[in-house]
Amino acid sequence: MWLYLAVVLAGLYLLRRWHRERQTVPGLSEKYVLITGCDSGFGHLLARQLDARGVPVLAACLTPTGAARLRAAASPRLQTVLLDVTSSQSIAAAAAWVRERVGDRGLWGLVNNAGIAIPTAPNEWLTKEDFVKVLDVNLHGLIEVTLSLLPLVRRARGRVVNVASVMGRVSFFGGGYCISKYGVEAFSDCLRLEMRNFGVKVSVIEPGYFKTDITSVENLEKNILSIWEKVPEEIKASYGESYLKQWLASLRRMQKTFTSDLTLVMDRMEHALTSCYPRSRYSAGWDATLLYIPLSYLPSALTDAVFSCFYPKPTQRA
């Protein structure tokens, strides 16, 4: 009897959530959305997807080439601006540009998508500068862009959508990437609470591994090899050449599991921007849903045991 009641209640809850999440914000053709990192990948495709839906898109690109490529693939309604999220001057100029375009309506949506993954390697192989390079883009830049545009988002009672990662839930490789994504999760959580009474919704996108420029195995291999060349001989001796070869082999194996359907991520970004009742978190990809997020709820000893099975073994072990 109790089991039957629990199933009925769960079914009613899911039905209610499905109905709520299907309700779309009216007047999307008048709601401006700024997206960072639109040169390629998720940002490029989201800009085109929202543009096709009639949303006024302000696409921030790092390079003139990326901006030109996006404009050629979109309608005349889409506008581009050059933005380097590591430069306070560039962020201030972009914020002023956005302010001119949105006027008193404010900015409905801010999608912080710009990000990098390289340099990445075992932590002991890296320098402080290697960590800072990633953190400046993925975390510090995201925070400064958000703070610069938050008054406009508050005016519109709009949305902030931050692209984190499943690596903001579990961390099993070195460098600044996982650290930055944990930071994005923390920043988003406190921002969501602070903005609640202003009518601003804050969502986090947590993709698994998708085939994009940021996960290019060729680029990651070049990165690892270049870092290995700079590693002190004492550290090289401790890890050994076999460790390096195992690391490179694991990258190639992981490539086979990457998801190629990027619309899984874009659809969740769009829902966070257009639904009357967006979620606080969205996962995307089979690995995120079935592997990494479930692992994040387990005791650390268990997740360590799982990841250790796939970790390279150094020459000098304890």
Side-chain angles (χ1 to χ4, degrees), residues 104-164:
D104 294 335
R105 285 170 294 190
L107 181 65
W108 171 255
L110 167 61
V111 182
N112 285 304
N113 167 74
I116 61 173
I118 293 173
T120 183
N123 289 311
E124 196 175 10
W125 300 8
L126 298 169
T127 65
K128 175 187 174 182
E129 288 69 29
D130 292 326
F131 287 88
V132 169
K133 182 177 180 181
V134 178
L135 290 168
D136 277 349
V137 176
N138 295 4
L139 183 57
H140 302 152
L142 178 148
I143 292 171
E144 187 171 2
V145 168
T146 303
L147 297 180
S148 298
L149 294 169
L150 204 52
L152 293 177
V153 178
R154 279 196 293 102
R155 184 180 301 172
R157 301 182 67 184
R159 309 289 169 81
V160 177
V161 180
N162 292 329
V163 180

Short mmCIF file of all heavy atoms in Angstrom, two decimals, residues 104-164:
data_model
loop_
_atom_site.label_atom_id
_atom_site.label_comp_id
_atom_site.label_asym_id
_atom_site.label_seq_id
_atom_site.Cartn_x
_atom_site.Cartn_y
_atom_site.Cartn_z
N ASP A 104 16.90 50.57 -21.55
CA ASP A 104 16.14 50.44 -20.30
C ASP A 104 15.56 49.06 -20.09
O ASP A 104 15.12 48.73 -18.99
CB ASP A 104 15.01 51.48 -20.27
CG ASP A 104 15.54 52.90 -20.20
OD1 ASP A 104 16.68 53.08 -19.72
OD2 ASP A 104 14.83 53.82 -20.65
N ARG A 105 15.53 48.25 -21.16
CA ARG A 105 14.97 46.90 -21.01
C ARG A 105 15.86 46.00 -20.18
O ARG A 105 15.41 45.03 -19.59
CB ARG A 105 14.77 46.27 -22.39
CG ARG A 105 13.59 46.81 -23.16
CD ARG A 105 13.59 46.34 -24.59
NE ARG A 105 14.74 46.88 -25.32
CZ ARG A 105 14.90 46.79 -26.64
NH1 ARG A 105 13.99 46.15 -27.35
NH2 ARG A 105 15.95 47.32 -27.24
N GLY A 106 17.15 46.32 -20.16
CA GLY A 106 18.08 45.47 -19.43
C GLY A 106 18.47 44.25 -20.25
O GLY A 106 18.01 44.05 -21.39
N LEU A 107 19.30 43.43 -19.68
CA LEU A 107 19.80 42.21 -20.33
C LEU A 107 19.08 41.01 -19.76
O LEU A 107 19.22 40.68 -18.58
CB LEU A 107 21.31 42.09 -20.10
CG LEU A 107 22.02 40.88 -20.73
CD1 LEU A 107 21.95 40.94 -22.26
CD2 LEU A 107 23.47 40.82 -20.25
N TRP A 108 18.30 40.33 -20.61
CA TRP A 108 17.53 39.18 -20.12
C TRP A 108 18.42 38.00 -19.75
O TRP A 108 18.24 37.37 -18.71
CB TRP A 108 16.51 38.73 -21.17
CG TRP A 108 15.85 37.43 -20.81
CD1 TRP A 108 16.09 36.20 -21.33
CD2 TRP A 108 14.87 37.25 -19.80
NE1 TRP A 108 15.32 35.26 -20.72
CE2 TRP A 108 14.55 35.88 -19.76
CE3 TRP A 108 14.22 38.12 -18.90
CZ2 TRP A 108 13.61 35.35 -18.88
CZ3 TRP A 108 13.29 37.59 -18.02
CH2 TRP A 108 12.99 36.23 -18.01
N GLY A 109 19.39 37.69 -20.60
CA GLY A 109 20.19 36.50 -20.35
C GLY A 109 21.67 36.74 -20.50
O GLY A 109 22.12 37.41 -21.43
N LEU A 110 22.45 36.21 -19.57
CA LEU A 110 23.91 36.19 -19.66
C LEU A 110 24.35 34.74 -19.59
O LEU A 110 24.09 34.06 -18.59
CB LEU A 110 24.53 36.99 -18.52
CG LEU A 110 26.05 36.80 -18.32
CD1 LEU A 110 26.82 37.24 -19.55
CD2 LEU A 110 26.52 37.56 -17.09
N VAL A 111 24.99 34.27 -20.64
CA VAL A 111 25.50 32.90 -20.68
C VAL A 111 27.02 32.96 -20.63
O VAL A 111 27.67 33.36 -21.59
CB VAL A 111 25.03 32.15 -21.94
CG1 VAL A 111 25.55 30.71 -21.91
CG2 VAL A 111 23.52 32.17 -22.05
N ASN A 112 27.59 32.58 -19.50
CA ASN A 112 29.04 32.53 -19.34
C ASN A 112 29.56 31.19 -19.84
O ASN A 112 29.57 30.20 -19.10
CB ASN A 112 29.42 32.74 -17.87
CG ASN A 112 29.28 34.18 -17.44
OD1 ASN A 112 29.87 35.07 -18.04
ND2 ASN A 112 28.49 34.43 -16.41
N ASN A 113 29.97 31.17 -21.10
CA ASN A 113 30.36 29.93 -21.75
C ASN A 113 31.86 29.85 -22.04
O ASN A 113 32.41 28.75 -22.18
CB ASN A 113 29.57 29.78 -23.06
CG ASN A 113 30.13 28.70 -23.96
OD1 ASN A 113 29.97 27.51 -23.70
ND2 ASN A 113 30.82 29.10 -25.02
N ALA A 114 32.55 30.98 -22.12
CA ALA A 114 33.96 30.99 -22.49
C ALA A 114 34.77 30.13 -21.53
O ALA A 114 34.61 30.22 -20.31
CB ALA A 114 34.50 32.42 -22.50
N GLY A 115 35.66 29.30 -22.08
CA GLY A 115 36.47 28.45 -21.21
C GLY A 115 37.59 27.76 -21.98
O GLY A 115 37.54 27.62 -23.20
N ILE A 116 38.63 27.35 -21.23
CA ILE A 116 39.74 26.60 -21.78
C ILE A 116 40.08 25.46 -20.83
O ILE A 116 39.68 25.48 -19.65
CB ILE A 116 41.00 27.48 -22.01
CG1 ILE A 116 41.48 28.08 -20.67
CG2 ILE A 116 40.71 28.58 -23.02
CD1 ILE A 116 42.80 28.81 -20.77
N ALA A 117 40.81 24.47 -21.32
CA ALA A 117 41.22 23.34 -20.48
C ALA A 117 42.73 23.19 -20.38
O ALA A 117 43.22 22.46 -19.52
CB ALA A 117 40.61 22.04 -21.04
N ILE A 118 43.45 23.83 -21.25
CA ILE A 118 44.91 23.69 -21.32
C ILE A 118 45.56 24.93 -20.73
O ILE A 118 45.11 26.05 -21.01
CB ILE A 118 45.36 23.49 -22.79
CG1 ILE A 118 44.85 22.14 -23.31
CG2 ILE A 118 46.85 23.59 -22.95
CD1 ILE A 118 45.08 21.92 -24.79
N PRO A 119 46.61 24.77 -19.91
CA PRO A 119 47.41 23.58 -19.64
C PRO A 119 46.75 22.62 -18.64
O PRO A 119 46.15 23.07 -17.67
CB PRO A 119 48.70 24.14 -19.04
CG PRO A 119 48.67 25.62 -19.29
CD PRO A 119 47.23 25.98 -19.35
N THR A 120 46.92 21.33 -18.89
CA THR A 120 46.49 20.31 -17.94
C THR A 120 47.51 19.19 -17.93
O THR A 120 48.08 18.85 -18.98
CB THR A 120 45.09 19.77 -18.30
OG1 THR A 120 44.68 18.84 -17.30
CG2 THR A 120 45.08 19.08 -19.65
N ALA A 121 47.75 18.64 -16.77
CA ALA A 121 48.73 17.57 -16.57
C ALA A 121 48.68 17.21 -15.09
O ALA A 121 48.00 17.88 -14.31
CB ALA A 121 50.14 18.05 -16.96
N PRO A 122 49.40 16.16 -14.68
CA PRO A 122 49.52 15.92 -13.23
C PRO A 122 50.01 17.18 -12.53
O PRO A 122 50.89 17.88 -13.03
CB PRO A 122 50.55 14.78 -13.16
CG PRO A 122 50.35 14.03 -14.44
CD PRO A 122 50.04 15.09 -15.47
N ASN A 123 49.42 17.48 -11.39
CA ASN A 123 49.69 18.76 -10.71
C ASN A 123 51.17 19.03 -10.49
O ASN A 123 51.62 20.17 -10.62
CB ASN A 123 48.95 18.80 -9.37
CG ASN A 123 47.44 18.94 -9.54
OD1 ASN A 123 46.98 19.80 -10.27
ND2 ASN A 123 46.70 18.09 -8.88
N GLU A 124 51.94 17.99 -10.16
CA GLU A 124 53.35 18.19 -9.85
C GLU A 124 54.16 18.59 -11.07
O GLU A 124 55.27 19.11 -10.94
CB GLU A 124 53.93 16.91 -9.22
CG GLU A 124 55.25 17.12 -8.53
CD GLU A 124 55.76 15.88 -7.81
OE1 GLU A 124 55.17 14.79 -8.01
OE2 GLU A 124 56.73 16.00 -7.05
N TRP A 125 53.61 18.39 -12.25
CA TRP A 125 54.32 18.77 -13.48
C TRP A 125 54.10 20.25 -13.82
O TRP A 125 54.77 20.77 -14.72
CB TRP A 125 53.83 17.94 -14.65
CG TRP A 125 54.02 16.46 -14.52
CD1 TRP A 125 54.44 15.77 -13.43
CD2 TRP A 125 53.77 15.49 -15.54
NE1 TRP A 125 54.45 14.43 -13.70
CE2 TRP A 125 54.06 14.22 -14.99
CE3 TRP A 125 53.33 15.57 -16.86
CZ2 TRP A 125 53.91 13.03 -15.71
CZ3 TRP A 125 53.18 14.39 -17.58
CH2 TRP A 125 53.49 13.14 -17.01
N LEU A 126 53.18 20.90 -13.15
CA LEU A 126 52.75 22.23 -13.55
C LEU A 126 53.35 23.32 -12.66
O LEU A 126 53.85 23.06 -11.57
CB LEU A 126 51.22 22.32 -13.49
CG LEU A 126 50.45 21.37 -14.42
CD1 LEU A 126 48.98 21.38 -14.07
CD2 LEU A 126 50.66 21.74 -15.88
N THR A 127 53.26 24.55 -13.16
CA THR A 127 53.68 25.72 -12.39
C THR A 127 52.45 26.51 -11.98
O THR A 127 51.33 26.28 -12.49
CB THR A 127 54.59 26.63 -13.24
OG1 THR A 127 53.82 27.16 -14.35
CG2 THR A 127 55.79 25.86 -13.78
N LYS A 128 52.64 27.47 -11.10
CA LYS A 128 51.54 28.33 -10.69
C LYS A 128 50.94 29.04 -11.90
O LYS A 128 49.71 29.18 -12.01
CB LYS A 128 52.03 29.36 -9.67
CG LYS A 128 50.97 30.38 -9.27
CD LYS A 128 51.54 31.46 -8.39
CE LYS A 128 50.52 32.56 -8.13
NZ LYS A 128 51.08 33.66 -7.30
N GLU A 129 51.79 29.47 -12.83
CA GLU A 129 51.32 30.20 -14.01
C GLU A 129 50.40 29.31 -14.86
O GLU A 129 49.46 29.81 -15.50
CB GLU A 129 52.50 30.67 -14.85
CG GLU A 129 53.29 31.83 -14.24
CD GLU A 129 54.06 31.44 -12.99
OE1 GLU A 129 54.45 30.25 -12.88
OE2 GLU A 129 54.27 32.30 -12.13
N ASP A 130 50.66 28.00 -14.89
CA ASP A 130 49.80 27.08 -15.64
C ASP A 130 48.38 27.07 -15.07
O ASP A 130 47.40 27.03 -15.81
CB ASP A 130 50.38 25.67 -15.62
CG ASP A 130 51.67 25.54 -16.39
OD1 ASP A 130 51.81 26.25 -17.41
OD2 ASP A 130 52.55 24.75 -16.00
N PHE A 131 48.29 27.09 -13.74
CA PHE A 131 46.98 27.12 -13.10
C PHE A 131 46.28 28.46 -13.34
O PHE A 131 45.09 28.50 -13.66
CB PHE A 131 47.12 26.90 -11.59
CG PHE A 131 47.46 25.49 -11.20
CD1 PHE A 131 48.78 25.07 -11.13
CD2 PHE A 131 46.46 24.58 -10.90
CE1 PHE A 131 49.09 23.77 -10.77
CE2 PHE A 131 46.75 23.28 -10.54
CZ PHE A 131 48.08 22.87 -10.47
N VAL A 132 47.04 29.54 -13.20
CA VAL A 132 46.47 30.88 -13.34
C VAL A 132 45.89 31.09 -14.73
O VAL A 132 44.84 31.73 -14.89
CB VAL A 132 47.53 31.95 -13.02
CG1 VAL A 132 47.05 33.34 -13.41
CG2 VAL A 132 47.88 31.92 -11.54
N LYS A 133 46.57 30.56 -15.75
CA LYS A 133 46.10 30.75 -17.13
C LYS A 133 44.68 30.23 -17.31
O LYS A 133 43.84 30.89 -17.97
CB LYS A 133 47.05 30.03 -18.10
CG LYS A 133 46.66 30.21 -19.56
CD LYS A 133 47.67 29.54 -20.49
CE LYS A 133 47.27 29.73 -21.96
NZ LYS A 133 48.23 29.06 -22.88
N VAL A 134 44.38 29.08 -16.73
CA VAL A 134 43.03 28.51 -16.86
C VAL A 134 42.04 29.22 -15.94
O VAL A 134 40.93 29.54 -16.34
CB VAL A 134 43.07 26.99 -16.54
CG1 VAL A 134 41.67 26.40 -16.61
CG2 VAL A 134 43.99 26.26 -17.50
N LEU A 135 42.47 29.49 -14.72
CA LEU A 135 41.58 30.16 -13.77
C LEU A 135 41.17 31.55 -14.24
O LEU A 135 40.04 31.99 -14.02
CB LEU A 135 42.25 30.25 -12.40
CG LEU A 135 42.41 28.93 -11.65
CD1 LEU A 135 43.33 29.10 -10.45
CD2 LEU A 135 41.06 28.40 -11.19
N ASP A 136 42.08 32.26 -14.91
CA ASP A 136 41.77 33.61 -15.38
C ASP A 136 40.64 33.61 -16.40
O ASP A 136 39.84 34.55 -16.45
CB ASP A 136 43.02 34.25 -16.00
CG ASP A 136 43.93 34.87 -14.96
OD1 ASP A 136 43.50 34.98 -13.79
OD2 ASP A 136 45.07 35.23 -15.30
N VAL A 137 40.56 32.58 -17.21
CA VAL A 137 39.48 32.49 -18.20
C VAL A 137 38.22 31.90 -17.58
O VAL A 137 37.13 32.49 -17.64
CB VAL A 137 39.92 31.62 -19.40
CG1 VAL A 137 38.74 31.45 -20.38
CG2 VAL A 137 41.11 32.24 -20.11
N ASN A 138 38.36 30.73 -16.98
CA ASN A 138 37.19 29.95 -16.56
C ASN A 138 36.49 30.46 -15.32
O ASN A 138 35.28 30.24 -15.15
CB ASN A 138 37.59 28.49 -16.31
CG ASN A 138 38.05 27.79 -17.57
OD1 ASN A 138 38.14 28.38 -18.63
ND2 ASN A 138 38.37 26.51 -17.46
N LEU A 139 37.23 31.11 -14.43
CA LEU A 139 36.64 31.54 -13.16
C LEU A 139 36.71 33.05 -12.96
O LEU A 139 35.69 33.73 -12.83
CB LEU A 139 37.31 30.82 -11.99
CG LEU A 139 36.74 31.13 -10.61
CD1 LEU A 139 35.25 30.82 -10.54
CD2 LEU A 139 37.49 30.37 -9.53
N HIS A 140 37.93 33.61 -12.95
CA HIS A 140 38.06 35.05 -12.72
C HIS A 140 37.34 35.85 -13.81
O HIS A 140 36.66 36.84 -13.52
CB HIS A 140 39.53 35.44 -12.67
CG HIS A 140 40.31 34.72 -11.61
ND1 HIS A 140 41.65 34.45 -11.70
CD2 HIS A 140 39.91 34.18 -10.43
CE1 HIS A 140 42.05 33.80 -10.64
NE2 HIS A 140 41.01 33.61 -9.85
N GLY A 141 37.51 35.43 -15.07
CA GLY A 141 36.84 36.12 -16.17
C GLY A 141 35.34 36.02 -16.07
O GLY A 141 34.61 37.00 -16.29
N LEU A 142 34.85 34.82 -15.74
CA LEU A 142 33.40 34.61 -15.59
C LEU A 142 32.84 35.52 -14.50
O LEU A 142 31.79 36.14 -14.67
CB LEU A 142 33.14 33.14 -15.27
CG LEU A 142 31.70 32.70 -15.03
CD1 LEU A 142 31.51 31.24 -15.49
CD2 LEU A 142 31.32 32.80 -13.54
N ILE A 143 33.55 35.62 -13.38
CA ILE A 143 33.07 36.45 -12.28
C ILE A 143 33.05 37.92 -12.67
O ILE A 143 32.06 38.64 -12.43
CB ILE A 143 33.95 36.24 -11.03
CG1 ILE A 143 33.75 34.83 -10.46
CG2 ILE A 143 33.65 37.30 -9.96
CD1 ILE A 143 34.73 34.47 -9.36
N GLU A 144 34.12 38.40 -13.32
CA GLU A 144 34.17 39.82 -13.69
C GLU A 144 33.12 40.17 -14.73
O GLU A 144 32.49 41.23 -14.65
CB GLU A 144 35.57 40.19 -14.19
CG GLU A 144 35.71 41.69 -14.40
CD GLU A 144 37.13 42.13 -14.68
OE1 GLU A 144 38.04 41.28 -14.74
OE2 GLU A 144 37.35 43.36 -14.84
N VAL A 145 32.90 39.30 -15.71
CA VAL A 145 31.85 39.54 -16.71
C VAL A 145 30.49 39.61 -16.02
O VAL A 145 29.68 40.50 -16.30
CB VAL A 145 31.86 38.43 -17.78
CG1 VAL A 145 30.60 38.50 -18.64
CG2 VAL A 145 33.09 38.54 -18.67
N THR A 146 30.24 38.68 -15.11
CA THR A 146 28.96 38.66 -14.40
C THR A 146 28.75 39.93 -13.58
O THR A 146 27.68 40.56 -13.65
CB THR A 146 28.88 37.43 -13.48
OG1 THR A 146 29.06 36.24 -14.25
CG2 THR A 146 27.52 37.37 -12.78
N LEU A 147 29.76 40.32 -12.81
CA LEU A 147 29.61 41.52 -11.99
C LEU A 147 29.41 42.77 -12.83
O LEU A 147 28.68 43.69 -12.44
CB LEU A 147 30.85 41.69 -11.09
CG LEU A 147 31.10 40.57 -10.07
CD1 LEU A 147 32.34 40.87 -9.25
CD2 LEU A 147 29.89 40.38 -9.16
N SER A 148 30.04 42.81 -14.00
CA SER A 148 29.92 43.98 -14.87
C SER A 148 28.52 44.11 -15.47
O SER A 148 28.06 45.22 -15.73
CB SER A 148 30.96 43.90 -16.00
OG SER A 148 32.27 43.91 -15.48
N LEU A 149 27.86 42.98 -15.68
CA LEU A 149 26.57 43.00 -16.36
C LEU A 149 25.39 42.72 -15.44
O LEU A 149 24.23 42.82 -15.87
CB LEU A 149 26.58 41.96 -17.51
CG LEU A 149 27.54 42.29 -18.65
CD1 LEU A 149 27.69 41.09 -19.58
CD2 LEU A 149 27.06 43.50 -19.43
N LEU A 150 25.66 42.41 -14.19
CA LEU A 150 24.59 42.04 -13.27
C LEU A 150 23.53 43.14 -13.08
O LEU A 150 22.33 42.83 -13.01
CB LEU A 150 25.19 41.65 -11.91
CG LEU A 150 24.35 40.73 -11.02
CD1 LEU A 150 23.89 39.49 -11.77
CD2 LEU A 150 25.15 40.34 -9.79
N PRO A 151 23.92 44.42 -13.02
CA PRO A 151 22.87 45.45 -12.92
C PRO A 151 21.87 45.42 -14.08
O PRO A 151 20.67 45.65 -13.89
CB PRO A 151 23.68 46.76 -12.91
CG PRO A 151 25.00 46.38 -12.34
CD PRO A 151 25.27 45.01 -12.89
N LEU A 152 22.38 45.12 -15.28
CA LEU A 152 21.48 45.04 -16.45
C LEU A 152 20.58 43.81 -16.36
O LEU A 152 19.42 43.85 -16.77
CB LEU A 152 22.32 44.98 -17.73
CG LEU A 152 23.12 46.23 -18.09
CD1 LEU A 152 23.95 45.99 -19.34
CD2 LEU A 152 22.20 47.43 -18.28
N VAL A 153 21.12 42.70 -15.83
CA VAL A 153 20.32 41.48 -15.67
C VAL A 153 19.25 41.70 -14.60
O VAL A 153 18.10 41.27 -14.75
CB VAL A 153 21.22 40.28 -15.31
CG1 VAL A 153 20.36 39.02 -15.09
CG2 VAL A 153 22.25 40.02 -16.41
N ARG A 154 19.61 42.37 -13.51
CA ARG A 154 18.62 42.67 -12.47
C ARG A 154 17.50 43.55 -13.01
O ARG A 154 16.33 43.38 -12.65
CB ARG A 154 19.30 43.36 -11.28
CG ARG A 154 20.02 42.41 -10.33
CD ARG A 154 20.33 43.05 -8.99
NE ARG A 154 21.31 44.12 -9.08
CZ ARG A 154 21.02 45.40 -9.06
NH1 ARG A 154 19.76 45.81 -8.97
NH2 ARG A 154 21.98 46.32 -9.13
N ARG A 155 17.87 44.51 -13.85
CA ARG A 155 16.85 45.41 -14.42
C ARG A 155 15.82 44.62 -15.21
O ARG A 155 14.62 44.94 -15.18
CB ARG A 155 17.52 46.45 -15.31
CG ARG A 155 16.56 47.50 -15.87
CD ARG A 155 17.31 48.49 -16.75
NE ARG A 155 18.37 49.17 -16.01
CZ ARG A 155 19.28 49.95 -16.57
NH1 ARG A 155 19.24 50.17 -17.88
NH2 ARG A 155 20.21 50.53 -15.84
N ALA A 156 16.28 43.58 -15.91
CA ALA A 156 15.37 42.77 -16.72
C ALA A 156 14.74 41.62 -15.93
O ALA A 156 13.88 40.92 -16.46
CB ALA A 156 16.13 42.20 -17.93
N ARG A 157 15.19 41.44 -14.67
CA ARG A 157 14.78 40.28 -13.87
C ARG A 157 15.00 39.00 -14.69
O ARG A 157 14.12 38.16 -14.84
CB ARG A 157 13.32 40.40 -13.43
CG ARG A 157 13.03 41.64 -12.62
CD ARG A 157 11.59 41.70 -12.16
NE ARG A 157 11.30 40.66 -11.19
CZ ARG A 157 10.08 40.43 -10.68
NH1 ARG A 157 9.06 41.21 -11.06
NH2 ARG A 157 9.89 39.47 -9.81
N GLY A 158 16.23 38.92 -15.20
CA GLY A 158 16.54 37.89 -16.18
C GLY A 158 17.25 36.67 -15.63
O GLY A 158 16.97 36.20 -14.52
N ARG A 159 18.20 36.15 -16.42
CA ARG A 159 18.83 34.87 -16.14
C ARG A 159 20.35 34.97 -16.26
O ARG A 159 20.87 35.66 -17.14
CB ARG A 159 18.35 33.82 -17.15
CG ARG A 159 16.83 33.72 -17.30
CD ARG A 159 16.22 33.10 -16.05
NE ARG A 159 14.78 33.21 -16.01
CZ ARG A 159 13.92 32.40 -16.65
NH1 ARG A 159 14.39 31.45 -17.44
NH2 ARG A 159 12.62 32.56 -16.50
N VAL A 160 21.03 34.25 -15.40
CA VAL A 160 22.47 34.02 -15.53
C VAL A 160 22.65 32.52 -15.69
O VAL A 160 22.19 31.74 -14.85
CB VAL A 160 23.26 34.53 -14.31
CG1 VAL A 160 24.75 34.20 -14.47
CG2 VAL A 160 23.07 36.02 -14.13
N VAL A 161 23.32 32.12 -16.76
CA VAL A 161 23.57 30.71 -17.03
C VAL A 161 25.08 30.50 -17.09
O VAL A 161 25.75 31.02 -17.98
CB VAL A 161 22.92 30.26 -18.35
CG1 VAL A 161 23.19 28.77 -18.61
CG2 VAL A 161 21.41 30.54 -18.33
N ASN A 162 25.61 29.76 -16.12
CA ASN A 162 27.05 29.52 -16.04
C ASN A 162 27.37 28.09 -16.47
O ASN A 162 26.78 27.14 -15.96
CB ASN A 162 27.55 29.76 -14.62
CG ASN A 162 27.47 31.22 -14.22
OD1 ASN A 162 27.60 32.11 -15.06
ND2 ASN A 162 27.26 31.48 -12.94
N VAL A 163 28.32 27.98 -17.39
CA VAL A 163 28.71 26.65 -17.87
C VAL A 163 29.83 26.13 -16.98
O VAL A 163 30.95 26.63 -16.99
CB VAL A 163 29.17 26.70 -19.34
CG1 VAL A 163 29.57 25.30 -19.81
CG2 VAL A 163 28.06 27.26 -20.23
N ALA A 164 29.50 25.14 -16.18
CA ALA A 164 30.49 24.47 -15.34
C ALA A 164 30.88 23.16 -16.04
O ALA A 164 31.20 23.17 -17.23
CB ALA A 164 29.93 24.22 -13.94
#
